[in-house]
Amino acid sequence: MELTRKKTIVTGAASGIGQALIAELCKQDVQIVAVDVRPIDLSAFEHPERITPLAFDLSRPEQVDALFEQALGLLGRIDLFVANAGFAYYEHLNHADWEHMERIFQVNVFSAIHAALKMQELNRHKPYRVVITASAMAYIPLPKYALYSSTKAALHAFADSHRWQLSDPRSLVLVYPIATRTAFFQQASSKTPVPWPSQTPQEVARAILRGIEADQTSIFPSDVFRVGLKLRAVLPFLHRLIQWREQVRKK
């Protein structure tokens, strides 16, 4: 998909991968609606005139619907939707807490799937892309990230199934970053170590744009992780070795 002059929504835009992605998109003359629950600092971008910041709580379906309505009024159409908003818990799960579980699924899973289906409705006869930030933990869940890993695995399974009913399977793209060096892990818990290996949000953003332009349906920003997935097929114990290593580091 050619990105120049595309009308785009990016969620989770105030920092991390979302902020880095907007900075890269601005270089390609893309008009962007940047969405976050927090204020977005437009001075961080080279071409702020190409960005319209909006504040929405994407854990609520009516807010996602309102985002589409307002973005269509601003852009006229939506060619690319990047569902990047999400957060993690880093924790021992010791008791049942429905609201605790519901919150992370609302933001990480429900809002992304809802947006993907709305994009499908809006663009039935036009090419479009929905890019969802999943995680390497969709493949290799790490200790103390049980709920976060399950949200990313849910997105992975949804995409793998839903592409079969799309006229163009390339319309739905999932990104599988490894640990990204942002404030993400500090937001999960003040004592959260950054898993190894890790990469910068700029590296992830550039990989996402390359993947979109190459019409990939799965984007793996880390070569180390991509090779690791292939090795896992012939070395099944590699999965457990990675989990054991992270568990030891966290004690």
Side-chain angles (χ1 to χ4, degrees):
M1 180 184 191
E2 170 62 40
L3 288 167
T4 303
R5 291 185 290 279
K6 290 296 186 289
K7 306 297 181 71
T8 301
I9 296 176
V10 179
T11 69
S15 62
I17 294 172
Q19 185 183 66
L21 186 59
I22 290 172
E24 293 295 324
L25 284 167
C26 283
K27 298 175 184 177
Q28 304 208 32
D29 191 19
V30 174
Q31 191 174 352
I32 303 161
V33 167
V35 184
D36 208 294
V37 293
R38 299 166 293 170
I40 297 171
D41 181 11
L42 293 184
S43 68
F45 304 107
E46 187 176 348
H47 294 284
E49 72 279 1
R50 296 174 182 168
I51 306 164
T52 302
L54 296 178
F56 284 99
D57 177 3
L58 300 180
S59 68
R60 297 162 55 193
E62 66 272 15
Q63 288 276 288
V64 181
D65 292 339
L67 164 60
F68 271 87
E69 182 178 356
Q70 192 165 344
L72 282 170
L74 291 165
L75 302 174
R77 67 177 195 275
I78 305 169
D79 305 306
L80 171 63
F81 190 106
V82 182
N84 174 68
F87 69 96
Y89 295 136
Y90 176 75
E91 61 189 353
H92 285 291
L93 289 171
N94 297 315
H95 64 280
D97 185 337
W98 187 284
E99 290 184 0
H100 184 71
M101 294 185 292
E102 185 176 50
R103 179 170 177 260
I104 194 169
F105 272 85
Q106 285 174 330
V107 176
N108 289 15
V109 181
F110 301 159
S111 68
I113 292 177
H114 191 68
L117 297 178
K118 287 189 73 69
M119 283 289 287
Q120 181 182 333
E121 292 173 3
L122 286 172
N123 297 283
R124 292 195 183 277
H125 305 294
K126 298 178 291 184
Y128 71 94
R129 292 290 185 276
V130 173
V131 178
I132 300 176
T133 302
S135 169
M137 290 192 217
Y139 286 94
I140 304 178
L142 297 182
K144 297 188 182 179
Y145 287 103
L147 288 177
Y148 175 74
S149 297
S150 65
T151 65
K152 299 307 182 178
L155 291 171
H156 173 76
F158 167 76
D160 197 25
S161 172
H162 187 61
R163 287 191 191 104
W164 287 96
Q165 80 169 62
L166 295 175
S167 57
D168 183 355
R170 299 172 302 176
S171 300
L172 182 56
V173 182
L174 256 65
V175 186
Y176 301 91
I178 58 172
T180 307
R181 296 193 287 275
T182 69
F184 176 86
F185 293 97
Q186 284 67 45
Q187 291 166 0
S189 167
S190 60
K191 299 181 179 179
T192 309
V194 178
W196 181 93
S198 64
Q199 59 191 159
T200 67
Q202 290 74 26
E203 289 172 322
V204 177
R206 288 191 287 268
I208 291 173
L209 296 194
R210 289 194 301 269
I212 295 172
E213 291 174 330
D215 290 329
Q216 295 175 358
T217 57
S218 298
I219 299 172
F220 298 93
S222 168
D223 291 334
V224 171
F225 181 66
R226 188 186 302 110
V227 171
L229 282 181
K230 293 180 180 179
L231 288 175
R232 193 178 67 154
V234 295
L235 299 172
F237 65 87
L238 184 63
H239 180 147
R240 295 301 181 195
L241 180 62
I242 293 171
Q243 291 178 316
W244 174 83
R245 182 184 185 280
E246 287 301 315
Q247 176 69 358
V248 169
R249 289 180 69 230
K250 293 171 174 59
K251 287 183 177 179

